[in-house]
Every structure is written in structure tokens, then in C-alpha cells.
Amino acid sequence: MKKTRKIIKAFDKYKLQEKINEHRERGWKQVGDIKMEGYYDGAYAALIELELDY
């Protein structure tokens, strides 16, 4: 089993939560907390992960 991780970003928490929900429907799960990033003019980010059977 292989794990793939990526960070998704948005400019407000509501949009980020929408992106997390869209990815969750495709099998991804949130593994990191929602964090505020100083660069990108204050974007929010979260780490998500997908497990693949290889």
C-alpha cells in the first residue's frame, strides 16, 4: 500500500473546507490541521492523504 500526500490551499477557511470535502468524496482524508500560512497573502492550508493499493 502506497500513501500519497498533498497540501491543498485556499484563501479562506470556508473554501478550504469545501476543497477538503470534495477530496474526501474521492477517497482522500485530512491528516493535518488547518493552518494559516504567512506567504500567499495569508492563505489557509491542510495536509491530505490518499492510500493506494499497488
Side-chain angles (χ1 to χ4, degrees):
M1 183 161 307
K2 180 181 178 184
K3 292 184 181 181
T4 301
R5 289 184 168 189
K6 69 178 175 177
I7 296 173
I8 54 174
K9 297 178 182 176
F11 288 105
D12 61 35
K13 284 187 178 182
Y14 178 76
K15 290 289 185 187
L16 183 63
Q17 191 61 53
E18 282 183 349
K19 286 184 177 184
I20 291 170
N21 292 342
E22 289 171 5
H23 279 79
R24 189 175 293 140
E25 290 173 3
R26 289 185 241 137
W28 291 82
K29 65 179 181 178
Q30 183 178 350
V31 293
D33 294 333
I34 294 175
K35 296 184 179 179
M36 179 80 166
E37 295 190 337
Y39 52 95
Y40 294 116
D41 296 327
Y44 291 90
L47 179 64
I48 59 174
E49 179 180 81
L50 177 67
E51 292 183 0
L52 301 171
D53 292 328
Y54 279 173

